[in-house]
Every structure is written in structure tokens, then in C-alpha cells.
Amino acid sequence: MSAVVKLEDCRERIRKELDNVVNFWLKHSHDAVHGGFFTCIGRDGKVYDELKYVWLQGRQVWMYCRLYRTMERFHKPEILDAAKAGGAFLRKFARVSTSSGQWKCAFCLTRDGKAVKVQRTIFSECFYIMAMDELSRVTGDSDMQLEAEQMLEQLIYWVRVDSSGLGRSQLPGNAPTNSMAVPMMLLCLVQQITEGRKPEVVQKYRELGQWCVQQILQHVQRDGSAILENVSLDGAELPGCQGRVQNPGHALEAGWFLIQYSAEWGDEQLQTTAISKFVDLPYQCGWDKEHGGLFYFLDVDGFCPTQLEWSMKLWWPHCEALVAFLMAYSRTKKPELLQSFSKVYEYTFSHFPDAKCGEWFGYLTQEGKVALDFKGGPFKGFFHIPRCLYMCERILDDLLANKD
Amino acid sequence: MSAVVKLEDCRERIRKELDNVVNFWLKHSHDAVHGGFFTCIGRDGKVYDELKYVWLQGRQVWMYCRLYRTMERFHKPEILDAAKAGGAFLRKFARVSTSSGQWKCAFCLTRDGKAVKVQRTIFSECFYIMAMDELSRVTGDSDMQLEAEQMLEQLIYWVRVDSSGLGRSQLPGNAPTNSMAVPMMLLCLVQQITEGRKPEVVQKYRELGQWCVQQILQHVQRDGSAILENVSLDGAELPGCQGRVQNPGHALEAGWFLIQYSAEWGDEQLQTTAISKFVDLPYQCGWDKEHGGLFYFLDVDGFCPTQLEWSMKLWWPHCEALVAFLMAYSRTKKPELLQSFSKVYEYTFSHFPDAKCGEWFGYLTQEGKVALDFKGGPFKGFFHIPRCLYMCERILDDLLANKD
């Protein structure tokens, strides 16, 4: 067994990294002219593209508000003002009306807010809702909270009743599937919307939360030996690459969502399943024994995935693994979970942070070399790293406060 | 200067590779049950996914017919029958009617021909047309040739008059652009449809061919120092990553399309531009000085591209480079062009062919290690490699026959 990290040192490093990452985005990402955030930011902080990706706008608003609301040292006007400006930009520009008469959120906007692309999925809307709900919590704007709830109702309708409003044509060879991202995101939204709310609100979303958990659990396949990203609507394995694909980082993220949910509802059995199937299993399958780090995609039968980036080491699966293992350890105190956390921690902190320019690299080769050196891009913004550092710092505070 | 390949040795190797690659696909890709071709084929020939990608179905039909029609040793019933079966599968299943009442070709079908996905672009249709035109040339089926021409008329309408039939919604931040792929494909189709046809047919497509060439030439940017993949409709540089992206393999492919066109019409000036701007320039910019091979994507200002695979070495840009340099050399006899061909040839033949299982690997890391080991996938089929080997063998036959 390799060494286990010292929790005090770990918290110290994580706290410093969080400060560093927050400062990087405060300094480089704000658009003082048009509002909102630049998200395509080079290694040294320079903006290399002015497009504004809505997922990342919503996530940044959410993260700023969460830090402002729950961490003393981030309760600063500068952060609140940035979150408000981001929220205003989103409300003004992100929603576009569709031919079906429903509202959708754009995926990408020009610097001044013109829609560039609308995806036929629910994810832009999810991050919009997260932003609005969290922002309403710091501003007390109940209209905004209502708007978040109304958009969530629209999403639930698209997912559970009729998806035609998303604009996807129904094709005979393309049966609807259960992709893990969808129930994961909805579960995340249920947790967001109900946190600290009145019992009737919590109750209102109780069934949806249970449904999301069941949908996520359907991805445990092959007698419990694999988490598969896509299954049929009735929980059977799908044919071909689509059915065999595994995304270890995504499974680990689902893992800590489920641990959180099981803690909230006191569901011990769910916690056990979450840790063994969604945390330990994807880590065991997904860790590169030769070079270290988590693979991005794998094929459960060992075929070569068709995603060109399958063997790359991305920042976010490592962020999710850190949260998952530390949360699992804090719930169970099982030393092997701290052991795994330590291994992920060592890899992550020795490979991703950029000692020269701050923030973290996002994309490494299989061997661990930096393959793309930007700090922000179409899918990397102010979200996975600060969320991970924030979650880990809070869990460590807890663990260290309750140390015997 | 490094050594130049001996043309006889080179032709010998290329001829053997072509035989090997043809045999691999004849052996492993035919679906005797439902017709058409499997295209997801593992390193050793095993089918790992039964989906049928329409680009690759069309390309395989085209390639079989072209080999059958123009090369003595491939004029075999086995190849003709396979091409006919592929063509029948395409005609039966590839076309789907859209809400606008126009025909589109699906992008992907199930094994038994049900549409899985339809793209909002013209490329599936392009490869369908190529297949039908070439197949009609070996079968003498004039209905089929007419069908190819009718679909081409539809494409021209989508590209030059009204693109709404493609199903893309017009968004205020997404101005129409000139992407190099579109005029390249149309030029390729003009050359396909008019080859050896009566003067009135050649004349009918004359203006379209000229338009395509002008559209391609608009991609020469920055005072002739760069080929950019996307420009505005009036030939200006676009902002951001989209405007700065370079795809050296694609520029090289455009290069040999233009050399071919210039030979057909006796346009010396165009040939000079094609060789200097579309062959030599992308090779100079796109060649990896450290590890050898052509990068997949580059940013003209040296920013890191946002495509995760930007630094990978793919098989097809190397195929295009081989054809482009050998064709440029055969037209001009300039030794530096043969020198560049030799360098690409050495890299290609020492990295891509799979000595153990036959055929070529498609996807290498920047350092030249095999990153994905399958022989066929959603975008790699029986096309770039055999087309390259076929073109090179014919050019070499010519060069060697006319050697003084």
C-alpha cells in the first residue's frame, strides 16, 4: 500500500488551489463590456475566442453564488457582482423560442448575446436552472426562483412525457435510450432546488428524485460488474459501441450524487451500492495501471473505443474521483477509500495544476503530457475544479473537526 | 536533403499494399445477410459494431467500381457483385424523406437498414451520388446515372439557393460561412459526373466547377501565407477559433483536386497556385518537425486548437499528401516535390500499415504510437487508403512509362 495523504496538508493545498483558481477566473473571464463570462481562455489568461458557451456561463454563476453563500472568505461584493452580471446576461440572451413555441436555451452565444447554436438536448437548460436557483438564494429574488422551477417543469416534461419539443426527429433505427447524463442532471437539479426549502417543496420533488435514482441504477450491468453509459429504457444492454461504452469519470460523479442522496434520505443500502458500484468499480476499471490517471472512455468488452480521445486524461474525471472517494471515506471511514483518494490526489496534483500561470490544465495525453494547454474552452470553465476543491475542503473541514 | 524514394520500389510497395487492403475489405466487410458493408472492423477483421455509416457505404461502392472499371487486376466478378450489393442496399435504405418533402440521405443505418441519424449537411448525399454515378458506369444503368444527377441538382440548390431543406435553423449569431469541404465535395462531384461524358454534359457543369474553384481559392488568406478552413461568404476571415482553424490534410486534398481540374482545363496559373498554396504551404505549416507526420488541426495564430485530437496523426491526411505531391511532381517534374513526397512516404509506410493483421491503422498519437487500433470505424472505411494507393499507382505507371 502506498502512503496515505495527511489530511491537514491536503486541506491546506486544496484551500490554496481554490483561492488560486477563483482568482484566475475573477481576473481573466469577466466581460466588462457585454456582461457574461469569456470561457475560451489561454494558458496565460488571454481570451482566444469570444464565444460564450451557455453551459459554462450557467456553471460559473452557480459556482460564484455557492462560494459566496457558503464560504466566508468568498463572501465578497466582487464575487456577488460577477454572479449577478452573469445571471443578467443569461436571462437576457440565453433563452430562444423554438418553432414548437417552447423556450430552449442556446448552447453558444456571440460575445454580445446572439444565439450561435441550439443543441437538441436538455443540458444548457440544466445549467441555466442551477444558475437561477443559486443566484436567487443570494439575492432573494423569488421571481428568479420561480423561473428556475418553471424551466425544470419543462425539462421534466421533455424527459418523461414528450421529447419532441427538443427538436430531434424520431427515426426508426434510433430507439430512445437511457443515457446516464439525463437522470444525473435531473437528480442534481432536484438536490439544488429542494436544498433547505419547505417540506412541501421537498415533497413535490420526492418522486422525481426516486425516479432519477432508479434510472441511474439501471446502468449497473453485467451482474454488477460494469457501469454502462447507455442502456435501453427498460434497463437492458444496448447493442454495439453505444451499449458498451463506459465513462469512468461520469460514473464516479454519479457515485457522489448518490452518496449525497442516500445521506439525505438515510438510505444505507443505496450508499453501499453507490460506493461499491459507482465509486470503487469505475475506479478499478478506469484507472490506467501503466501511466496512472483515469481513462476518458472504455469499451466494456475491451474493444478499442471509437472516440479519438478515449485514452486521454481529462481534468474533470479526476475532480469527480476526488470528491467521490473523500465523500465515501467521510461516510464510512473505511481506510481503503482514503487510500484510493490518496492515489487520485497524487496523480491529480502532480499533473493538472499549472505552477507557472495558475489554474489547471484540462487535457493530458495517456502518458500524462499536456496535450491542450488552455485553461478554458468550449467545455472547460469555472466549474469542475472549483466545485471539487470546494466540496473537498468542506468534507476535510468536517473530518478534521470531528477527528478524535 | 534526405534520400528520394526509388519510383520502381515505391510502385511495387504501393501495388502490394493496394492488393492487401482490397483483400482485407473483401474478406471482412461484406454483410451477406442484409447487404451493404460493415464498417466498424477491429484490428484483426472482427466486426465490433453493426451500424452502417452511409458515407462509408457510398465510398466503398465507388471505390470497388473505380477499381473494377479502371484496373485490370480488379476487373473481377467478386468486386462487381460486392459493389452492386452495396449499391442496392444504399438505394433501398439510405434515402429518407424529410418534413420539407425533400429527400435526404441518412448518416447512419442499422444493420438491416433503419435510419439512425440524419445529418444537417450534404455529405451523405455526396457519397451516395459518387456511388451511383460510378456504379452506373460499370452496369450501364442509365436510370441510376439520372438519379445521381437529380440528387446533385438538389445539392446544388441547397448550397447555392436555399439551405433550409437541410433542416438547420437560422440563428442570428450563426452567419452562413464558406467551409472548404462544401466546394471541395461539389468539385469532386462535377469531376465524377462529367468524366468522359458528352460535351453538353461537361458544359452543363462548367460554371459550377468554376464556382467551386473560386470558393476554394477564397480559403487562401493572410496574403497567401495560410489556408483557413472556414471563411465568410465573401471570402473574409472569420473571428475566433472557427476562423483560425487549419486542417492541413484537407488543404492537401483540395490541392490535388485543383491540380486535376487545372490539367483538365489547361489552366497553368491555377496549377501553380494549387501547388504552392494548397500542397506545399499546408505541408510546410502542418508537418510536425519534432515527431514527423501531419497535424490534424492547427490554429493559424499558434493558439492551442480546441479539438482534443488536434495533434494526432491520422491516416487520411497522409494519404492526401501522397497523392498531392506525386501528382504535383508528375505535372512539373520539380525535384523538391518528389523530395516532399518521399518524406511523407517514409513516415506513412513506416507508421500506418499493420504488418501483423493487414490494412492500416488510422489514428496515431503525436509521437506516432497507435492510439486506436481498429481498421474501420464511423469515419474510416474503404476509401482514403485505396484511393491514395490507386491514384499513386496510376501516376507512377505514367511516370515510369514516360521515363527517358
Side-chain angles (χ1 to χ4, degrees), chain A residues 146-334:
Chain A
L146 189 65
E147 191 196 308
E149 279 196 60
Q150 285 169 343
M151 198 177 270
L152 178 56
E153 293 303 322
Q154 175 67 75
L155 286 198
I156 295 166
Y157 180 82
W158 283 333
V159 171
R160 299 186 69 178
V161 183
D162 179 5
S163 68
S164 62
L166 293 173
R168 282 187 288 229
S169 51
Q170 300 298 316
L171 293 166
N174 185 24
T177 61
N178 170 357
S179 295
M180 199 154 69
V182 172
M184 276 174 70
M185 276 305 320
L186 284 185
L187 183 60
C188 180
L189 290 176
V190 168
Q191 294 181 326
Q192 174 68 38
I193 291 265
T194 58
E195 190 206 321
R197 299 283 298 276
K198 285 179 286 195
E200 53 268 33
V201 178
V202 176
Q203 201 49 44
K204 181 180 168 193
Y205 291 104
R206 180 80 211 266
E207 188 274 336
L208 178 61
Q210 289 169 332
W211 180 84
C212 291
V213 169
Q214 289 316 310
Q215 292 286 303
I216 294 170
L217 292 176
Q218 284 193 339
H219 294 265
V220 183
Q221 291 287 323
R222 303 203 173 187
D223 295 323
S225 70
I227 304 294
L228 302 181
E229 269 296 290
N230 306 296
V231 295
S232 75
L233 287 189
D234 50 0
E237 191 173 327
L238 294 166
C241 295
Q242 184 197 18
R244 294 193 308 267
V245 71
Q246 301 180 289
N247 181 331
H250 214 207
L252 282 150
E253 187 180 13
W256 70 259
F257 286 9
L258 292 175
I259 298 173
Q260 230 176 13
Y261 182 89
S262 68
E264 192 184 344
W265 296 96
D267 187 338
E268 285 278 338
Q269 201 193 326
L270 180 62
Q271 179 180 291
T272 304
T273 304
I275 294 174
S276 70
K277 298 306 176 192
F278 287 85
V279 180
D280 194 52
L281 180 60
Y283 169 69
Q284 298 299 341
C285 300
W287 191 259
D288 181 349
K289 272 84 185 168
E290 191 180 355
H291 301 285
L294 289 161
F295 287 111
Y296 190 13
F297 293 107
L298 290 169
D299 180 294
V300 67
D301 285 335
F303 290 103
C304 176
T306 55
Q307 291 88 353
L308 303 198
E309 65 277 24
W310 74 272
S311 62
M312 290 176 75
K313 310 293 165 62
L314 271 63
W315 83 107
W316 70 262
H318 298 82
C319 291
E320 302 313 323
L322 289 172
V323 177
F325 276 116
L326 197 59
M327 192 184 281
Y329 172 69
S330 83
R331 303 289 310 166
T332 63
K333 304 293 189 304
K334 288 191 180 163

